[in-house]
Amino acid sequence: MPQYAALLHLDENPGISAAALARLCGVTPPTMNTVLKNLQDRGLIVRSPHEWHRNVLETRLTDEGRAVMAEADSAAVRVERALAAEFSDAERDALTGLLARCVRVLEEQRPGSS
């Protein structure tokens, strides 16, 4: 899941830093560095120094990374549609409301939240 999330955000935010990507994906920077190393080892991303901030690495998808992202996204959409088809409109609305409450409570419990 973290690799898919990273690919998704990289597709939407080419050149993003690892720290910013970690925040978007809800993981720690060390975890994101491991995810990025694995993606780089597979040839799905490239990392290069930022033009002005040489200690910041920009991360971008490779052509192969974009292809893998498109395939993974298609699979995710199929799963989402199959799940949605199992519920009535009222059930989906109730589930969405319940999950939103869960997210709110979890975010309130996150260290550093006020």
Side-chain angles (χ1 to χ4, degrees):
M1 193 65 199
Q3 287 186 6
Y4 173 70
L7 290 173
L8 183 65
H9 287 297
L10 284 168
D11 191 43
E12 296 171 352
N13 303 285
I16 192 170
S17 70
L21 190 57
R23 285 189 294 278
L24 285 174
C25 293
V27 299
T28 63
T31 297
M32 183 51 62
N33 282 329
T34 300
V35 169
L36 292 175
K37 182 185 179 323
N38 291 334
L39 293 173
Q40 190 171 18
D41 289 348
R42 293 175 56 200
L44 303 180
I45 64 166
V46 292
R47 301 181 79 192
S48 57
H50 186 278
E51 184 178 343
W52 300 309
H53 306 287
R54 291 292 177 192
N55 58 341
V56 173
L57 292 176
E58 294 183 320
T59 307
R60 298 180 191 287
L61 294 176
T62 62
D63 289 342
E64 185 176 353
R66 281 187 284 285
V68 167
M69 174 56 216
E71 186 178 318
D73 204 39
S74 292
V77 168
R78 282 192 304 276
V79 169
E80 288 172 359
R81 287 182 180 157
L83 282 171
E86 289 297 311
F87 299 96
S88 69
D89 289 344
E91 289 171 326
R92 274 192 303 279
D93 290 344
L95 180 59
T96 300
L98 292 169
L99 291 172
R101 283 173 42 197
C102 290
V103 168
R104 179 183 49 79
V105 169
L106 290 172
E107 291 199 354
E108 289 171 356
Q109 298 304 310
R110 180 180 292 171
S113 65
S114 338

